[in-house]
Each structure stands twice: as C-alpha cells, then as structure tokens.
Amino acid sequence: MTVAVATVALGATAVVTFVSGGGRNSASAGSIPADSVRIEEVAPNVVEVAAGPNGSTGVFTVDCGTNGNGKFSSDNPVAQPGISNGAEHLHDFVGNLAINANTSDEALAASGTTCRNGDRSSYFWPVVRIDRSPRSGVGDVGTPTVSCPPARDRMPSIPPAAYGNVQRALGELDRQIAEANARLAGSQGVDARRNNEVLSWLRARRAATLRQVAGELGQFGARPTGLMSLVDCAVSYDALHAGHSTDGRTQANPMVECPTVRDRLPAVPAQAAAEVDQNLNLLDRQIAEANERLLTTAGEGGPNFAQNAIVGPLRDKRRATLDRIEIAIGRHAARPTGLTQLASCTLLGPGSTDGSGDNGGDGGDRGDNGGAGDGADGPDAEPSALPVPSGPDLELPGNTGGIVRPAEVLIEYRGNPVSKVTPMPRFLRALTGESKPTSRGPGNARKSWTCSGFTDRLSDKYPICPKGSQVLRVHDFPGCWDGVNIDSDNHRSHLSFADATTGACPTGFVAIPQLRITIAYYIPRDVQFKGQYLLDSFPEEDHNPFSDHNDFINVNSEKQMRKIAKCINAGRSCR
C-alpha cells in the first residue's frame, strides 16, 4: 500500500483503549450530523505499550487485494453459520473465494484465493455506501424473533443405536427456539437487556443439547467437532424488512442453492459410516467449487454458460455421489430411496434466466428454525424471511446507495509487547467489534474510524477528514488464544484482547499473531460533511458507526502460520 502503510503503522504493540457507549445521541457543532465528527476534535486515544525484552515486534503483511473481483455477500459465516443472508447487510470479502455461510473447512482449504502468497483465509467486513437520499430512520421495529444456525444439516452420519436420541435432541432445539420466541413476544422496541437475557438463556440450553448430541455420536465413533459453532443465536427484527422491494432472488454473487442431504439420511450402519461421511463431505466441496467457479467466470460464455458449464455438471456429480451414498447404506441395511432426487441445484443471481435455475429436485432446505422436529427428515423450513441483495447496487433493507470500493486494504499480523507469539491454529474463527450494539449492547464494540494522518486516535463516529486525507477503518482482532479451541459458543470466549496497560494475555491464554485490517477510502468531502457515507448494518442499527466489525477465518497452512510467527518473533517486517 502507499498511503495506508505510511499512516497506519502505529507500532507493533499498539493497544487501543476507549470508552464504550457509542456516540449516536450527541450532535457536533454546527450542521455536522450527530453520527459524524471532525477528526481534529477527537482526542488522541491510541496507547502504545512499550515492548519488553521478550516481546515480539515484527509485522507480517499479506496482500489480498481490495475485493476487485466483487465478492460481496450478506452471509455471516463466523457468527451465523448455515444461515444464508443472515447478516442482513453486505460484506466485502477478500482472500478465500469459496466461502459462504455453508462452506465446510475442507472446502475452504481447497479453494482459490485473492491473496498473493496463497493464503486461503477469509477476511470480510461491512461495505460502506454513499446514499444522498434523506434518511428516514428505522421506524417500527416490531417484535424480535430469534434466528439460530440450523443443526440438522450439519450432522455426520448417525448410527442406528443413536438415531432416536439424536432426533429427539434436534427436536428439543426446535422447542427451545419456540420458547425463546414466546419470551420475546412481549418486547416493545429494541430492548438490549431483554434480548440478552433471552439469548443467554437460549445459548445455555442449546449448548447443553448440542453437547448431548456430540456425546451420543461420540459413543459410536469420533466425537463430531464444530457443533459448538451452532450454539449462538441472534435477534431479528423482521418488521424492518417490510416494503423492501427485490427483483426476485437476486444474489450479490451468482451462487448455487442445493437441497440439503444430511438431514434426509436414515440411520447409517457403522460399516457404512466412513464411506457415507466421505461422500457427504464431497457434496460440500462440490457446491463450494461450483460457487467459486461462478465467481471467477462471471460474465463469460454468454447467457447460458453458468447453467451449461457449471450447474448442469454439478447436478451430474451430485447424482453420482448421492448414488454412492445409497449403495453404501444398502450394503448393510435397507437401501434408501429418493436421495438422487436431491441432485439438482438452483442458480441464483447473475446468470440465472428466471430465478428458478435448474431445480429438478424438491429443493427442500431444512433446518431447526421452526418445525416440530419430530420427523426423521427434520421439519420443512419456510422460505427464508431474510431479504437478499437486489438491484445494481445490491441493496438491502435500509442499506441503500452505491457501494464505495476500498482504495486500499492493509492486512497485518503483529506481535505482542511482552511475549513471543504462538502460531494460530488452522480454521480459527475470530470476530472484532459488535454488529448489534443497539439490540445486544455495546460491550464488544470497538472504535474503528479515523483518517490518514490521525491514526493516534480512533472514533465511534464517522470522521470528517481534512482535505487530502483518506477515511480509514482500523480493525484490531484479539491477540490472545485459549490454546485449545478454534471457536466457542459465543464465537468470542476462545480469544481475548491483551491487557491495555501491560500488553499481557490473560491467565490461561497465549499470544498469537494479532490481526489488524486497515481499510482506506476516498470519499468526497461534501459527502463527509453531509453525513452521506454510511456503514451497512443490521436494520435496527440504522448505520450506527459503532456497529463496525470485522470477521476472519484462518485458512493459512500450518507451515505458513509458523513462518508468520517466526517473522514476528524475530522482529522483522515480512511479506
């Protein structure tokens, strides 16, 4: 980078301190909007902890581009796995080309990447838009409901001896959601305290139930991993979606939508389990490969290229794989029928002629979000109430206007002032910031806004920068790891920030390369003064600048991550 490198290099051990609260209710002087502030009026608040003799002061920089290939998505793969369009706002994605809400770790590891060094990690953040139309506010938010990652279509093969107990546990997840919605039914407006009470109650019960499922399956083979990533749920304000027009099932990127398979399987005999699981994983990879190819070949080959060259061959591959699953089970039990009917997928977005694509199967997309949960196949899910990006600007409820493409993106792995860093584990999930400070509270929110030349200060408001200065977003991720888990039931507790005063990690945590992502924008000054550049957000957040956040999945190879740690520990600057 040219500008950002010179202006954002705060020192390898910088620790940002701030006061939570969010600056949405106080206006600046004159006509500056309440959500904006002249950067000169923000007091310096970035504190650098001096490096000690055992500190690690190196920096490893990764160039993954600025999303020049246009991989936009309203999925939230870390916080809401398995929920398509769960973010309700649009993200820029750089790095991994295959990732969406449903991509398996195996598929992530096999994908292409935009990073020049082969890093397949996924880095993603909400887009910024310029919207010159008057802002109308959020209006009536209605009654919130909970939105939870589906569990049925994340299951491995289930042996006969565990099948009944697992199905009953999955049904219990449905009942928990129903009870949580009943508890929220009396909510008026956006009540963060009540939301968190209900979500905490639900999280504890989902965690216990999913541990029960893992224990049941672990008695008959390897204990499944990743179920804890399905624990955390969110609140959704569906009334805010009313009146949002869409042009059918437009997607930000072309993608395939395929019927789920894991939730359709009968009990799988132990002798067939390994082969069935291998083919289930292959189905996941086939979808990821198709979505990656749709992205990288967008606009090629005429109007029928995607259908003929990608979606049709995907159907054939899925049919062969599903047939192998039927045969594997049929060697040791009654052969299931109808699985091959799930082979056809729907093409969504650019390249689909009528929105219906090539869906020759029943298209059933099933989850644990609303049925009784007492059938072997799981409840039939209603069509998603979550809106999809639509129109040439990929707009969503409340998130309208033209997308501002980053001028530069700087991705750095940095050290710790008092200790050496341990390599990150592969597939580590990490969040920074809080996407819902209004509806869940600002406890995890972090100031991220500043201007080039003023990186000694960060704000929770949109900065108005001096002439010639870029708008910057600086996202620091937690730099301490519990040494065991790559995810946790709230997607946060397996990581921690170092102490702001000493730079030390909490007891029981080890320092890892701390990720910092700095995003630079050229935004006209009149737009800055009028408050017309806005962060995409959940509808109830109404573009709150304090809702800025960033997500990351580490798909660096173990060898590459050791190289990164070695560079940082040696105090060098590397690429």
Side-chain angles (χ1 to χ4, degrees):
M1 298 178 67
T2 55
V3 176
V5 165
T7 59
V8 184
L10 301 177
T13 56
V15 177
V16 178
T17 59
F18 61 91
V19 178
S20 294
R24 305 209 70 209
N25 299 314
S26 58
S28 299
S31 61
I32 295 174
D35 281 355
S36 301
V37 64
R38 294 176 187 268
I39 196 64
E40 300 95 331
E41 297 176 2
V42 178
N45 56 13
V46 173
V47 179
E48 294 188 31
V49 178
N54 296 319
S56 46
T57 58
V59 179
F60 193 100
T61 303
V62 182
D63 182 359
C64 297
T66 60
N67 193 22
N69 62 317
K71 183 171 174 59
F72 298 105
S73 175
S74 54
D75 287 355
N76 223 354
V78 174
Q80 294 174 293
I83 301 179
S84 295
N85 301 300
E88 304 178 63
H89 55 266
L90 209 62
H91 294 109
D92 272 310
F93 277 76
V94 299
N96 198 283
L97 289 171
I99 190 167
N100 61 30
N102 297 291
T103 313
S104 67
D105 287 350
E106 188 178 22
L108 292 176
S111 82
T113 179
T114 67
C115 301
R116 290 188 177 180
N117 67 342
D119 175 9
R120 291 181 172 86
S121 300
S122 183
Y123 309 88
F124 53 106
W125 53 84
V127 302
V128 167
R129 300 178 189 265
I130 292 177
D131 190 350
R132 299 178 185 271
S133 60
R135 292 171 61 181
S136 58
V138 298
D140 180 17
V141 300
T143 300
T145 57
V146 295
S147 174
C148 300
R152 280 185 172 81
D153 56 3
R154 294 298 184 98
M155 293 292 110
S157 58
I158 304 173
Y163 194 81
N165 286 340
V166 170
Q167 293 301 326
R168 282 188 286 274
L170 294 174
E172 175 60 21
L173 293 175
D174 297 325
R175 287 186 285 275
Q176 292 165 2
I177 290 171
E179 184 171 346
N181 283 330
R183 291 179 176 223
L184 288 172
S187 293
Q188 299 293 323
V190 178
D191 187 338
R193 181 191 60 80
R194 186 184 184 104
N195 290 347
N196 283 324
E197 285 177 354
V198 172
L199 290 173
S200 296
W201 174 90
L202 180 59
R203 184 187 303 117
R205 279 149 186 80
R206 281 178 66 86
T209 302
L210 287 167
R211 288 192 188 98
Q212 176 189 343
V213 170
E216 287 283 347
L217 295 174
Q219 296 180 45
F220 302 96
R223 187 182 178 96
T225 60
L227 292 187
M228 287 301 101
S229 69
L230 308 178
V231 168
D232 201 39
C233 301
V235 289
S236 178
Y237 290 86
D238 288 343
L240 296 177
H241 303 156
H244 176 67
S245 61
T246 64
D247 52 353
R249 291 298 305 273
T250 303
Q251 291 288 135
N253 300 117
M255 63 176 290
V256 292
E257 184 177 75
C258 302
T260 57
V261 174
R262 294 171 185 268
D263 54 331
R264 314 298 181 87
L265 295 180
V268 177
Q271 305 94 315
E275 184 176 356
V276 169
D277 285 336
Q278 181 181 14
N279 281 290
L280 288 171
N281 291 334
L282 179 58
L283 289 171
D284 294 336
R285 288 202 310 276
Q286 289 166 351
I287 294 172
E289 290 167 359
N291 282 330
E292 180 179 343
R293 193 164 178 225
L294 285 168
L295 179 68
T296 57
T297 62
E300 293 183 10
N304 297 318
F305 174 81
Q307 290 284 358
N308 295 336
I310 299 174
V311 181
L314 173 63
R315 176 194 57 221
D316 297 337
K317 292 176 185 177
R318 282 174 59 85
R319 183 176 291 127
T321 306
L322 291 163
D323 188 55
R324 289 195 295 272
I325 291 174
E326 289 185 353
I327 292 171
I329 296 173
R331 292 193 191 104
H332 308 282
R335 176 169 174 164
T337 59
L339 289 184
T340 54
Q341 296 177 15
L342 307 176
S344 295
C345 301
T346 300
L347 174 62
L348 303 176
S352 105
T353 54
D354 59 4
S356 63
D358 177 42
N359 197 357
D362 64 11
D365 204 14
R366 303 183 182 209
D368 66 332
N369 274 355
D374 56 357
D377 288 338
D380 288 332
E382 294 296 323
S384 173
L386 297 174
V388 298
S390 63
D393 290 322
L394 307 174
E395 295 180 326
L396 287 154
N399 293 312
T400 57
I403 296 170
V404 183
R405 303 300 292 272
E408 300 171 283
V409 175
L410 176 64
I411 298 174
E412 300 170 294
Y413 291 92
R414 306 165 70 84
N416 180 279
V418 297
S419 69
K420 304 301 183 187
V421 297
T422 297
M424 286 182 187
R426 202 173 198 198
F427 305 122
L428 178 77
R429 267 76 170 162
L431 304 173
T432 188
E434 172 57 71
S435 62
K436 293 191 170 189
T438 301
S439 60
R440 295 192 69 161
N444 293 310
R446 297 182 64 83
K447 295 181 180 180
S448 63
W449 298 92
T450 189
C451 302
S452 57
F454 292 85
T455 52
D456 61 344
R457 66 203 70 187
L458 295 173
S459 177
D460 56 17
K461 296 184 178 183
Y462 296 115
I464 298 172
C465 301
K467 185 176 180 179
S469 176
Q470 293 175 312
V471 172
L472 301 182
R473 297 160 70 188
V474 182
H475 297 126
D476 280 331
F477 283 77
C480 305
W481 172 50
D482 69 7
V484 177
N485 299 293
I486 61 171
D487 202 356
S488 49
D489 61 7
N490 63 357
H491 309 296
R492 295 184 187 270
S493 58
H494 60 301
L495 296 169
S496 176
F497 284 94
D499 184 272
T501 302
T502 68
C505 287
T507 301
F509 286 73
V510 297
I512 56 174
Q514 183 182 30
L515 176 62
R516 171 180 290 170
I517 301 177
T518 303
I519 312 160
Y521 300 89
Y522 291 113
I523 295 177
R525 295 197 77 221
D526 69 308
V527 169
Q528 296 180 39
F529 275 103
K530 294 175 182 177
Q532 294 173 335
Y533 80 95
L534 303 168
L535 183 73
D536 256 27
S537 71
F538 281 95
E540 70 272 18
E541 295 299 326
D542 193 25
H543 311 289
N544 185 350
F546 208 35
S547 71
D548 199 8
H549 58 282
N550 208 311
D551 298 39
F552 165 66
I553 301 177
N554 177 38
V555 198
N556 278 288
S557 67
E558 293 180 2
K559 179 180 179 181
Q560 178 69 4
M561 187 48 69
R562 288 195 298 269
K563 177 181 177 181
I564 291 172
K566 182 178 180 180
C567 166
I568 293 170
N569 288 334
R572 296 184 287 117
S573 294
C574 313
R575 290 182 178 270

